[in-house]
Amino acid sequence: MLTDAEQDQLVDMLASTAEVMGEKISPNAATYMVLDLATYPLRVLAEALTACRREVKGRLSLAAIMERIDDGHPAPNEAWAVAIRAADEAVTVVWTEQTRDAWTAALPLVEEGDKIAARQAFLEVYARLVKSARAVGGCAVYQPSLGHDASARAAALQLAVDAGRLAHEQAADHLALPPATPAFNPLALLAGRVEASPEANERTRKHLAEIAELFGPAQDAAA
């Protein structure tokens, strides 16, 4: 839901877009448009208004804006392609709530081995769920369904984060963290010397050099 400040900004965006398109929009009309659009992120609305300025011939209308809103819901066949991968329990998928629920409806047919009927059932349920979601407004919500293949799971979640479908916080607990790189050379330390590891940054190298100078006599004696 847009904040009050974002709604004020949207009013200005609507007025400016209408002006670019050769008309003026009344405050009352802009207010009603904002009420219908406030469930979408401002970034998504800005992109839709840009498309209107470039594509629409004639007056700016709510319908024209709504048609150009990318609400994140995948096309039915695209959603099915994601869902069918969930038949393999090793696979991690990142899907919308509507894809998940349509897959739940189709799963019994998949388990019976009738993928053709399963796909048809999925598409029918998915279309109905997306229509209901769009009637309420707002963008699609993505969530992970974790498979037991840990290495593939991390890759799938990171890809979803990079694509903006998941926030990093949603995936962080499941992502494999890279191994920590020591700032110092552990083999040299065992030999009584303080040395930076090859991966250490310049600041770390400087601090370790200062430490090495403090222990210079001890290191020389150990050598």
Side-chain angles (χ1 to χ4, degrees), residues 120-168:
Q120 185 62 36
F122 174 91
L123 295 176
E124 290 177 359
V125 174
Y126 180 77
R128 184 171 68 251
L129 292 174
V130 170
K131 183 178 180 180
S132 297
R134 283 175 170 162
V136 175
C139 290
V141 176
Y142 282 81
Q143 55 189 222
S145 175
L146 303 178
H148 57 69
D149 184 337
S151 60
R153 179 194 312 153
L157 292 175
Q158 187 61 59
L159 186 63
V161 171
D162 293 343
R165 291 179 174 176
L166 290 180
H168 185 270

mmCIF file of all heavy atoms in Angstrom, residues 120-168:
data_model
loop_
_atom_site.group_PDB
_atom_site.id
_atom_site.type_symbol
_atom_site.label_atom_id
_atom_site.label_comp_id
_atom_site.label_asym_id
_atom_site.label_seq_id
_atom_site.Cartn_x
_atom_site.Cartn_y
_atom_site.Cartn_z
ATOM 1 N N GLN A 120 -4.247 -29.142 -17.621
ATOM 2 C CA GLN A 120 -5.509 -28.467 -17.868
ATOM 3 C C GLN A 120 -6.136 -27.991 -16.562
ATOM 4 O O GLN A 120 -6.630 -26.856 -16.466
ATOM 5 C CB GLN A 120 -6.474 -29.401 -18.599
ATOM 6 C CG GLN A 120 -7.790 -28.750 -19.005
ATOM 7 C CD GLN A 120 -7.593 -27.590 -19.974
ATOM 8 O OE1 GLN A 120 -6.713 -27.637 -20.835
ATOM 9 N NE2 GLN A 120 -8.412 -26.547 -19.832
ATOM 10 N N ALA A 121 -6.097 -28.850 -15.548
ATOM 11 C CA ALA A 121 -6.648 -28.475 -14.244
ATOM 12 C C ALA A 121 -5.864 -27.306 -13.652
ATOM 13 O O ALA A 121 -6.446 -26.365 -13.101
ATOM 14 C CB ALA A 121 -6.614 -29.665 -13.294
ATOM 15 N N PHE A 122 -4.550 -27.373 -13.787
ATOM 16 C CA PHE A 122 -3.704 -26.300 -13.272
ATOM 17 C C PHE A 122 -4.060 -24.977 -13.926
ATOM 18 O O PHE A 122 -4.236 -23.955 -13.248
ATOM 19 C CB PHE A 122 -2.232 -26.636 -13.516
ATOM 20 C CG PHE A 122 -1.298 -25.514 -13.143
ATOM 21 C CD1 PHE A 122 -0.767 -25.442 -11.868
ATOM 22 C CD2 PHE A 122 -0.958 -24.523 -14.061
ATOM 23 C CE1 PHE A 122 0.081 -24.395 -11.503
ATOM 24 C CE2 PHE A 122 -0.114 -23.480 -13.711
ATOM 25 C CZ PHE A 122 0.409 -23.414 -12.433
ATOM 26 N N LEU A 123 -4.136 -24.959 -15.255
ATOM 27 C CA LEU A 123 -4.394 -23.713 -15.974
ATOM 28 C C LEU A 123 -5.744 -23.113 -15.605
ATOM 29 O O LEU A 123 -5.877 -21.890 -15.474
ATOM 30 C CB LEU A 123 -4.312 -23.952 -17.482
ATOM 31 C CG LEU A 123 -2.934 -24.362 -18.029
ATOM 32 C CD1 LEU A 123 -3.012 -24.651 -19.518
ATOM 33 C CD2 LEU A 123 -1.897 -23.292 -17.740
ATOM 34 N N GLU A 124 -6.744 -23.955 -15.435
ATOM 35 C CA GLU A 124 -8.071 -23.448 -15.078
ATOM 36 C C GLU A 124 -8.068 -22.826 -13.686
ATOM 37 O O GLU A 124 -8.605 -21.729 -13.483
ATOM 38 C CB GLU A 124 -9.088 -24.591 -15.147
ATOM 39 C CG GLU A 124 -9.375 -25.072 -16.573
ATOM 40 C CD GLU A 124 -10.334 -26.251 -16.601
ATOM 41 O OE1 GLU A 124 -10.754 -26.696 -15.504
ATOM 42 O OE2 GLU A 124 -10.655 -26.724 -17.703
ATOM 43 N N VAL A 125 -7.464 -23.528 -12.739
ATOM 44 C CA VAL A 125 -7.421 -23.005 -11.367
ATOM 45 C C VAL A 125 -6.555 -21.755 -11.298
ATOM 46 O O VAL A 125 -6.917 -20.764 -10.652
ATOM 47 C CB VAL A 125 -6.903 -24.085 -10.394
ATOM 48 C CG1 VAL A 125 -6.726 -23.501 -8.993
ATOM 49 C CG2 VAL A 125 -7.864 -25.265 -10.355
ATOM 50 N N TYR A 126 -5.435 -21.799 -11.988
ATOM 51 C CA TYR A 126 -4.510 -20.663 -11.957
ATOM 52 C C TYR A 126 -5.172 -19.410 -12.525
ATOM 53 O O TYR A 126 -5.061 -18.323 -11.945
ATOM 54 C CB TYR A 126 -3.248 -21.004 -12.750
ATOM 55 C CG TYR A 126 -2.233 -19.887 -12.778
ATOM 56 C CD1 TYR A 126 -1.424 -19.648 -11.673
ATOM 57 C CD2 TYR A 126 -2.083 -19.074 -13.900
ATOM 58 C CE1 TYR A 126 -0.490 -18.623 -11.680
ATOM 59 C CE2 TYR A 126 -1.156 -18.049 -13.922
ATOM 60 C CZ TYR A 126 -0.361 -17.822 -12.816
ATOM 61 O OH TYR A 126 0.556 -16.799 -12.828
ATOM 62 N N ALA A 127 -5.855 -19.532 -13.635
ATOM 63 C CA ALA A 127 -6.518 -18.378 -14.245
ATOM 64 C C ALA A 127 -7.541 -17.776 -13.279
ATOM 65 O O ALA A 127 -7.649 -16.541 -13.153
ATOM 66 C CB ALA A 127 -7.197 -18.792 -15.551
ATOM 67 N N ARG A 128 -8.281 -18.619 -12.588
ATOM 68 C CA ARG A 128 -9.279 -18.137 -11.642
ATOM 69 C C ARG A 128 -8.621 -17.422 -10.458
ATOM 70 O O ARG A 128 -9.071 -16.354 -10.017
ATOM 71 C CB ARG A 128 -10.126 -19.303 -11.148
ATOM 72 C CG ARG A 128 -11.261 -18.876 -10.213
ATOM 73 C CD ARG A 128 -12.214 -20.011 -9.922
ATOM 74 N NE ARG A 128 -11.590 -21.068 -9.120
ATOM 75 C CZ ARG A 128 -11.265 -22.269 -9.578
ATOM 76 N NH1 ARG A 128 -11.497 -22.586 -10.844
ATOM 77 N NH2 ARG A 128 -10.730 -23.166 -8.788
ATOM 78 N N LEU A 129 -7.528 -17.995 -9.948
ATOM 79 C CA LEU A 129 -6.850 -17.400 -8.799
ATOM 80 C C LEU A 129 -6.203 -16.059 -9.146
ATOM 81 O O LEU A 129 -6.254 -15.113 -8.358
ATOM 82 C CB LEU A 129 -5.788 -18.372 -8.268
ATOM 83 C CG LEU A 129 -6.320 -19.661 -7.631
ATOM 84 C CD1 LEU A 129 -5.157 -20.593 -7.291
ATOM 85 C CD2 LEU A 129 -7.142 -19.359 -6.389
ATOM 86 N N VAL A 130 -5.604 -15.979 -10.324
ATOM 87 C CA VAL A 130 -4.973 -14.725 -10.737
ATOM 88 C C VAL A 130 -6.035 -13.649 -10.961
ATOM 89 O O VAL A 130 -5.836 -12.484 -10.603
ATOM 90 C CB VAL A 130 -4.116 -14.935 -12.000
ATOM 91 C CG1 VAL A 130 -3.656 -13.594 -12.575
ATOM 92 C CG2 VAL A 130 -2.902 -15.801 -11.684
ATOM 93 N N LYS A 131 -7.158 -14.034 -11.536
ATOM 94 C CA LYS A 131 -8.237 -13.072 -11.745
ATOM 95 C C LYS A 131 -8.711 -12.512 -10.410
ATOM 96 O O LYS A 131 -8.935 -11.292 -10.270
ATOM 97 C CB LYS A 131 -9.410 -13.746 -12.475
ATOM 98 C CG LYS A 131 -10.550 -12.795 -12.790
ATOM 99 C CD LYS A 131 -11.662 -13.497 -13.560
ATOM 100 C CE LYS A 131 -12.807 -12.543 -13.877
ATOM 101 N NZ LYS A 131 -13.896 -13.221 -14.623
ATOM 102 N N SER A 132 -8.845 -13.364 -9.420
ATOM 103 C CA SER A 132 -9.266 -12.910 -8.088
ATOM 104 C C SER A 132 -8.219 -12.001 -7.463
ATOM 105 O O SER A 132 -8.546 -10.981 -6.835
ATOM 106 C CB SER A 132 -9.521 -14.112 -7.172
ATOM 107 O OG SER A 132 -10.579 -14.903 -7.671
ATOM 108 N N ALA A 133 -6.949 -12.357 -7.623
ATOM 109 C CA ALA A 133 -5.869 -11.547 -7.056
ATOM 110 C C ALA A 133 -5.818 -10.175 -7.707
ATOM 111 O O ALA A 133 -5.617 -9.156 -7.034
ATOM 112 C CB ALA A 133 -4.527 -12.262 -7.237
ATOM 113 N N ARG A 134 -6.031 -10.135 -9.006
ATOM 114 C CA ARG A 134 -5.988 -8.856 -9.716
ATOM 115 C C ARG A 134 -7.196 -7.985 -9.379
ATOM 116 O O ARG A 134 -7.111 -6.753 -9.448
ATOM 117 C CB ARG A 134 -5.892 -9.109 -11.214
ATOM 118 C CG ARG A 134 -4.487 -9.522 -11.631
ATOM 119 C CD ARG A 134 -4.368 -9.895 -13.083
ATOM 120 N NE ARG A 134 -2.966 -10.038 -13.465
ATOM 121 C CZ ARG A 134 -2.544 -10.678 -14.547
ATOM 122 N NH1 ARG A 134 -3.420 -11.231 -15.375
ATOM 123 N NH2 ARG A 134 -1.249 -10.751 -14.821
ATOM 124 N N ALA A 135 -8.297 -8.603 -9.012
ATOM 125 C CA ALA A 135 -9.474 -7.822 -8.613
ATOM 126 C C ALA A 135 -9.196 -7.075 -7.315
ATOM 127 O O ALA A 135 -9.685 -5.960 -7.101
ATOM 128 C CB ALA A 135 -10.682 -8.739 -8.452
ATOM 129 N N VAL A 136 -8.398 -7.683 -6.450
ATOM 130 C CA VAL A 136 -8.025 -7.035 -5.185
ATOM 131 C C VAL A 136 -6.945 -5.991 -5.417
ATOM 132 O O VAL A 136 -6.916 -4.941 -4.786
ATOM 133 C CB VAL A 136 -7.544 -8.091 -4.169
ATOM 134 C CG1 VAL A 136 -7.044 -7.425 -2.896
ATOM 135 C CG2 VAL A 136 -8.661 -9.077 -3.852
ATOM 136 N N GLY A 137 -6.044 -6.278 -6.370
ATOM 137 C CA GLY A 137 -4.948 -5.366 -6.672
ATOM 138 C C GLY A 137 -3.673 -5.757 -5.963
ATOM 139 O O GLY A 137 -3.665 -6.587 -5.047
ATOM 140 N N GLY A 138 -2.586 -5.123 -6.376
ATOM 141 C CA GLY A 138 -1.288 -5.426 -5.782
ATOM 142 C C GLY A 138 -0.501 -6.391 -6.641
ATOM 143 O O GLY A 138 -1.034 -7.022 -7.556
ATOM 144 N N CYS A 139 0.778 -6.492 -6.345
ATOM 145 C CA CYS A 139 1.675 -7.339 -7.128
ATOM 146 C C CYS A 139 1.720 -8.752 -6.565
ATOM 147 O O CYS A 139 1.387 -8.995 -5.404
ATOM 148 C CB CYS A 139 3.077 -6.742 -7.146
ATOM 149 S SG CYS A 139 3.189 -5.229 -8.129
ATOM 150 N N ALA A 140 2.157 -9.669 -7.409
ATOM 151 C CA ALA A 140 2.273 -11.064 -7.004
ATOM 152 C C ALA A 140 3.304 -11.213 -5.889
ATOM 153 O O ALA A 140 4.300 -10.489 -5.850
ATOM 154 C CB ALA A 140 2.682 -11.920 -8.203
ATOM 155 N N VAL A 141 3.059 -12.137 -4.990
ATOM 156 C CA VAL A 141 3.977 -12.426 -3.891
ATOM 157 C C VAL A 141 4.652 -13.765 -4.177
ATOM 158 O O VAL A 141 3.979 -14.777 -4.376
ATOM 159 C CB VAL A 141 3.230 -12.492 -2.545
ATOM 160 C CG1 VAL A 141 4.180 -12.891 -1.428
ATOM 161 C CG2 VAL A 141 2.574 -11.151 -2.243
ATOM 162 N N TYR A 142 5.976 -13.749 -4.204
ATOM 163 C CA TYR A 142 6.743 -14.973 -4.466
ATOM 164 C C TYR A 142 7.231 -15.582 -3.162
ATOM 165 O O TYR A 142 7.512 -14.874 -2.193
ATOM 166 C CB TYR A 142 7.935 -14.657 -5.370
ATOM 167 C CG TYR A 142 7.573 -14.509 -6.825
ATOM 168 C CD1 TYR A 142 7.046 -13.323 -7.312
ATOM 169 C CD2 TYR A 142 7.741 -15.570 -7.718
ATOM 170 C CE1 TYR A 142 6.697 -13.182 -8.651
ATOM 171 C CE2 TYR A 142 7.396 -15.435 -9.053
ATOM 172 C CZ TYR A 142 6.882 -14.241 -9.512
ATOM 173 O OH TYR A 142 6.533 -14.105 -10.831
ATOM 174 N N GLN A 143 7.334 -16.895 -3.160
ATOM 175 C CA GLN A 143 7.839 -17.603 -1.987
ATOM 176 C C GLN A 143 8.556 -18.865 -2.441
ATOM 177 O O GLN A 143 8.248 -19.417 -3.502
ATOM 178 C CB GLN A 143 6.686 -17.957 -1.037
ATOM 179 C CG GLN A 143 5.577 -18.734 -1.694
ATOM 180 C CD GLN A 143 4.362 -18.887 -0.793
ATOM 181 O OE1 GLN A 143 3.773 -19.955 -0.733
ATOM 182 N NE2 GLN A 143 3.976 -17.830 -0.090
ATOM 183 N N PRO A 144 9.522 -19.329 -1.659
ATOM 184 C CA PRO A 144 10.256 -20.528 -2.049
ATOM 185 C C PRO A 144 9.582 -21.804 -1.578
ATOM 186 O O PRO A 144 8.931 -21.838 -0.535
ATOM 187 C CB PRO A 144 11.607 -20.342 -1.355
ATOM 188 C CG PRO A 144 11.273 -19.562 -0.123
ATOM 189 C CD PRO A 144 10.102 -18.680 -0.474
ATOM 190 N N SER A 145 9.735 -22.853 -2.379
ATOM 191 C CA SER A 145 9.390 -24.206 -1.967
ATOM 192 C C SER A 145 10.686 -24.995 -2.028
ATOM 193 O O SER A 145 11.230 -25.235 -3.114
ATOM 194 C CB SER A 145 8.339 -24.817 -2.907
ATOM 195 O OG SER A 145 8.083 -26.173 -2.572
ATOM 196 N N LEU A 146 11.212 -25.362 -0.875
ATOM 197 C CA LEU A 146 12.572 -25.880 -0.793
ATOM 198 C C LEU A 146 12.658 -27.358 -1.135
ATOM 199 O O LEU A 146 11.928 -28.179 -0.588
ATOM 200 C CB LEU A 146 13.125 -25.646 0.614
ATOM 201 C CG LEU A 146 13.127 -24.191 1.103
ATOM 202 C CD1 LEU A 146 13.663 -24.117 2.519
ATOM 203 C CD2 LEU A 146 13.932 -23.309 0.165
ATOM 204 N N GLY A 147 13.578 -27.676 -2.059
ATOM 205 C CA GLY A 147 13.887 -29.065 -2.352
ATOM 206 C C GLY A 147 15.034 -29.545 -1.484
ATOM 207 O O GLY A 147 15.685 -28.750 -0.805
ATOM 208 N N HIS A 148 15.295 -30.852 -1.485
ATOM 209 C CA HIS A 148 16.330 -31.367 -0.586
ATOM 210 C C HIS A 148 17.734 -31.356 -1.194
ATOM 211 O O HIS A 148 18.699 -31.715 -0.525
ATOM 212 C CB HIS A 148 15.977 -32.783 -0.105
ATOM 213 C CG HIS A 148 15.771 -33.786 -1.194
ATOM 214 N ND1 HIS A 148 16.797 -34.255 -1.987
ATOM 215 C CD2 HIS A 148 14.652 -34.425 -1.623
ATOM 216 C CE1 HIS A 148 16.332 -35.142 -2.841
ATOM 217 N NE2 HIS A 148 15.015 -35.259 -2.651
ATOM 218 N N ASP A 149 17.864 -30.916 -2.445
ATOM 219 C CA ASP A 149 19.183 -30.748 -3.048
ATOM 220 C C ASP A 149 19.730 -29.388 -2.604
ATOM 221 O O ASP A 149 19.350 -28.347 -3.137
ATOM 222 C CB ASP A 149 19.090 -30.823 -4.569
ATOM 223 C CG ASP A 149 20.448 -30.751 -5.251
ATOM 224 O OD1 ASP A 149 21.398 -30.224 -4.639
ATOM 225 O OD2 ASP A 149 20.556 -31.205 -6.404
ATOM 226 N N ALA A 150 20.622 -29.398 -1.618
ATOM 227 C CA ALA A 150 21.078 -28.151 -1.005
ATOM 228 C C ALA A 150 21.830 -27.260 -1.979
ATOM 229 O O ALA A 150 21.657 -26.037 -1.971
ATOM 230 C CB ALA A 150 21.958 -28.462 0.207
ATOM 231 N N SER A 151 22.676 -27.830 -2.814
ATOM 232 C CA SER A 151 23.468 -27.001 -3.728
ATOM 233 C C SER A 151 22.572 -26.326 -4.763
ATOM 234 O O SER A 151 22.721 -25.136 -5.052
ATOM 235 C CB SER A 151 24.536 -27.851 -4.425
ATOM 236 O OG SER A 151 23.921 -28.904 -5.168
ATOM 237 N N ALA A 152 21.624 -27.070 -5.317
ATOM 238 C CA ALA A 152 20.695 -26.484 -6.287
ATOM 239 C C ALA A 152 19.755 -25.491 -5.607
ATOM 240 O O ALA A 152 19.335 -24.503 -6.217
ATOM 241 C CB ALA A 152 19.891 -27.582 -6.975
ATOM 242 N N ARG A 153 19.436 -25.742 -4.344
ATOM 243 C CA ARG A 153 18.556 -24.843 -3.595
ATOM 244 C C ARG A 153 19.178 -23.449 -3.484
ATOM 245 O O ARG A 153 18.520 -22.444 -3.749
ATOM 246 C CB ARG A 153 18.313 -25.403 -2.195
ATOM 247 C CG ARG A 153 17.435 -24.549 -1.306
ATOM 248 C CD ARG A 153 17.538 -24.996 0.140
ATOM 249 N NE ARG A 153 17.404 -26.433 0.255
ATOM 250 C CZ ARG A 153 17.942 -27.152 1.242
ATOM 251 N NH1 ARG A 153 18.666 -26.556 2.175
ATOM 252 N NH2 ARG A 153 17.769 -28.452 1.286
ATOM 253 N N ALA A 154 20.449 -23.401 -3.127
ATOM 254 C CA ALA A 154 21.124 -22.114 -2.985
ATOM 255 C C ALA A 154 21.141 -21.356 -4.303
ATOM 256 O O ALA A 154 20.913 -20.145 -4.338
ATOM 257 C CB ALA A 154 22.547 -22.328 -2.468
ATOM 258 N N ALA A 155 21.395 -22.067 -5.396
ATOM 259 C CA ALA A 155 21.445 -21.415 -6.711
ATOM 260 C C ALA A 155 20.078 -20.858 -7.093
ATOM 261 O O ALA A 155 19.976 -19.741 -7.615
ATOM 262 C CB ALA A 155 21.935 -22.408 -7.758
ATOM 263 N N ALA A 156 19.020 -21.626 -6.847
ATOM 264 C CA ALA A 156 17.662 -21.185 -7.206
ATOM 265 C C ALA A 156 17.247 -19.966 -6.388
ATOM 266 O O ALA A 156 16.647 -19.019 -6.912
ATOM 267 C CB ALA A 156 16.677 -22.331 -6.992
ATOM 268 N N LEU A 157 17.576 -19.969 -5.101
ATOM 269 C CA LEU A 157 17.206 -18.844 -4.249
ATOM 270 C C LEU A 157 17.996 -17.589 -4.618
ATOM 271 O O LEU A 157 17.436 -16.488 -4.650
ATOM 272 C CB LEU A 157 17.443 -19.203 -2.783
ATOM 273 C CG LEU A 157 16.521 -20.284 -2.213
ATOM 274 C CD1 LEU A 157 16.933 -20.630 -0.789
ATOM 275 C CD2 LEU A 157 15.064 -19.843 -2.244
ATOM 276 N N GLN A 158 19.277 -17.764 -4.903
ATOM 277 C CA GLN A 158 20.074 -16.603 -5.283
ATOM 278 C C GLN A 158 19.584 -16.007 -6.591
ATOM 279 O O GLN A 158 19.555 -14.786 -6.769
ATOM 280 C CB GLN A 158 21.554 -17.001 -5.408
ATOM 281 C CG GLN A 158 22.479 -15.809 -5.635
ATOM 282 C CD GLN A 158 22.426 -14.815 -4.489
ATOM 283 O OE1 GLN A 158 22.719 -15.170 -3.340
ATOM 284 N NE2 GLN A 158 22.049 -13.576 -4.776
ATOM 285 N N LEU A 159 19.183 -16.868 -7.521
ATOM 286 C CA LEU A 159 18.648 -16.388 -8.795
ATOM 287 C C LEU A 159 17.372 -15.580 -8.567
ATOM 288 O O LEU A 159 17.161 -14.535 -9.203
ATOM 289 C CB LEU A 159 18.369 -17.572 -9.720
ATOM 290 C CG LEU A 159 17.929 -17.243 -11.147
ATOM 291 C CD1 LEU A 159 19.028 -16.484 -11.882
ATOM 292 C CD2 LEU A 159 17.578 -18.519 -11.904
ATOM 293 N N ALA A 160 16.527 -16.052 -7.655
ATOM 294 C CA ALA A 160 15.284 -15.333 -7.353
ATOM 295 C C ALA A 160 15.563 -13.994 -6.695
ATOM 296 O O ALA A 160 14.876 -13.003 -6.957
ATOM 297 C CB ALA A 160 14.390 -16.191 -6.456
ATOM 298 N N VAL A 161 16.571 -13.937 -5.839
ATOM 299 C CA VAL A 161 16.959 -12.673 -5.209
ATOM 300 C C VAL A 161 17.470 -11.706 -6.267
ATOM 301 O O VAL A 161 17.096 -10.528 -6.298
ATOM 302 C CB VAL A 161 18.034 -12.905 -4.129
ATOM 303 C CG1 VAL A 161 18.608 -11.576 -3.637
ATOM 304 C CG2 VAL A 161 17.444 -13.680 -2.948
ATOM 305 N N ASP A 162 18.324 -12.202 -7.166
ATOM 306 C CA ASP A 162 18.883 -11.349 -8.221
ATOM 307 C C ASP A 162 17.791 -10.805 -9.145
ATOM 308 O O ASP A 162 17.905 -9.693 -9.668
ATOM 309 C CB ASP A 162 19.909 -12.135 -9.047
ATOM 310 C CG ASP A 162 21.148 -12.507 -8.239
ATOM 311 O OD1 ASP A 162 21.357 -11.891 -7.171
ATOM 312 O OD2 ASP A 162 21.889 -13.415 -8.656
ATOM 313 N N ALA A 163 16.730 -11.609 -9.342
ATOM 314 C CA ALA A 163 15.633 -11.190 -10.222
ATOM 315 C C ALA A 163 14.627 -10.295 -9.511
ATOM 316 O O ALA A 163 13.677 -9.807 -10.135
ATOM 317 C CB ALA A 163 14.916 -12.420 -10.776
ATOM 318 N N GLY A 164 14.806 -10.088 -8.205
ATOM 319 C CA GLY A 164 13.894 -9.240 -7.451
ATOM 320 C C GLY A 164 12.620 -9.931 -7.018
ATOM 321 O O GLY A 164 11.684 -9.277 -6.552
ATOM 322 N N ARG A 165 12.571 -11.256 -7.147
ATOM 323 C CA ARG A 165 11.365 -11.975 -6.743
ATOM 324 C C ARG A 165 11.343 -12.281 -5.252
ATOM 325 O O ARG A 165 10.265 -12.435 -4.664
ATOM 326 C CB ARG A 165 11.252 -13.270 -7.552
ATOM 327 C CG ARG A 165 10.957 -13.012 -9.029
ATOM 328 C CD ARG A 165 10.881 -14.284 -9.822
ATOM 329 N NE ARG A 165 10.465 -14.020 -11.203
ATOM 330 C CZ ARG A 165 10.387 -14.933 -12.151
ATOM 331 N NH1 ARG A 165 10.719 -16.193 -11.871
ATOM 332 N NH2 ARG A 165 9.994 -14.603 -13.370
ATOM 333 N N LEU A 166 12.498 -12.403 -4.661
ATOM 334 C CA LEU A 166 12.602 -12.597 -3.218
ATOM 335 C C LEU A 166 13.508 -11.520 -2.641
ATOM 336 O O LEU A 166 14.499 -11.137 -3.266
ATOM 337 C CB LEU A 166 13.205 -13.972 -2.895
ATOM 338 C CG LEU A 166 12.384 -15.223 -3.166
ATOM 339 C CD1 LEU A 166 13.189 -16.458 -2.762
ATOM 340 C CD2 LEU A 166 11.054 -15.213 -2.428
ATOM 341 N N ALA A 167 13.168 -11.056 -1.454
ATOM 342 C CA ALA A 167 14.080 -10.180 -0.726
ATOM 343 C C ALA A 167 15.216 -11.033 -0.187
ATOM 344 O O ALA A 167 15.032 -12.225 0.079
ATOM 345 C CB ALA A 167 13.346 -9.486 0.421
ATOM 346 N N HIS A 168 16.369 -10.421 -0.027
ATOM 347 C CA HIS A 168 17.515 -11.191 0.469
ATOM 348 C C HIS A 168 17.207 -11.818 1.817
ATOM 349 O O HIS A 168 17.646 -12.944 2.103
ATOM 350 C CB HIS A 168 18.746 -10.284 0.576
ATOM 351 C CG HIS A 168 19.991 -11.025 0.957
ATOM 352 N ND1 HIS A 168 20.374 -11.217 2.265
ATOM 353 C CD2 HIS A 168 20.926 -11.661 0.192
ATOM 354 C CE1 HIS A 168 21.488 -11.911 2.299
ATOM 355 N NE2 HIS A 168 21.842 -12.196 1.062
#
